[in-house]
Amino acid sequence: MLDGRGSTVNVPASDIAFTATVKAMQAARGSRAAYARQEALGGFHTTIDENLTQFLAQVDTAYLATSNAAGQPYAQHRGGPKGFIHVLDERTIGFADFSGNKQYISVGNLADNDRAFLFLMDYAHRRRIKLWGRARVVTGDAELTALLMPQDYRARPEQVILFEIEAWDANCPQHIPQKIDAADVTIALKRLEDRVAALEIENAGLRHELGRTTP
């Protein structure tokens, strides 16, 4: 960013969320000093690291927030199998956008205003990640669509959404309820049932051997 004299000013990445009004609110409520220390180190993350890559590999649901030209906000769920959001480079992620209710609110908003926000939740491990950036809709690119389309997933890709990250941050687990995915519960129960069945067979064998050796 340039100041009024044309000189470069280093702005922390967290300023994408921490406006002057937000900072004033933080100061009034006692949290400004902690965030000022974070700002001194650059603020939020601006590139994709290994932690975010691993997180995205486990994500099967996301909330995409956009706003129209008048500033009216809108949030829409996006989902797919785990890993449906792909890392394309150190600043860009993308996913195939499947055919839905055909309201096209997010698509229309992005046509007027490319600023977007992604909110990602991991209830099982009580983690959440927020990503600020700019998004665009890509249609008619068969190669890109094939790259981002989850294998063997029964859905029709209508377009692709590319999200260029300007900043991202991970929140603390405070107040996040722990919820377990139904598919993970099914797998855990199947393992438990298999283990119980194996123990019952083993126990029956031991009882049989005990009966043979008991006078």
Side-chain angles (χ1 to χ4, degrees), residues 62-100:
Y63 295 92
L64 174 66
T66 59
S67 61
N68 61 24
Q72 178 64 44
Y74 177 74
Q76 176 65 48
H77 171 264
R78 289 293 185 270
K82 290 183 178 181
F84 80 98
I85 300 178
H86 296 253
V87 174
L88 299 178
D89 59 44
E90 67 173 6
R91 296 284 300 276
T92 309
I93 57 179
F95 55 90
D97 196 30
F98 312 125
S99 180

Side-chain angles (χ1 to χ4, degrees), residues 16-18 35 44-45 52 55 63 116-121 127-133 163 165-172:
I16 198 168
F18 297 163
Y35 289 118
F44 296 158
H45 305 278
L52 180 55
F55 187 94
Y63 295 92
F117 178 84
L118 274 172
F119 189 78
L120 310 177
M121 285 293 304
R127 299 180 297 175
R128 55 186 167 186
I129 286 184
K130 303 178 295 186
L131 302 100
W132 291 262
F163 189 100
I165 297 172
E166 295 184 341
W168 67 273
D169 186 43
N171 283 119
C172 70

Side-chain angles (χ1 to χ4, degrees), residues 26 50 71 135 143 211:
Q26 291 171 350
E50 186 60 27
E143 183 177 352

Side-chain angles (χ1 to χ4, degrees), residues 184-198:
D184 292 335
V185 172
T186 299
I187 292 172
L189 287 175
K190 181 62 169 60
R191 289 173 178 169
L192 180 61
E193 290 169 353
D194 290 345
R195 179 58 177 160
V196 169

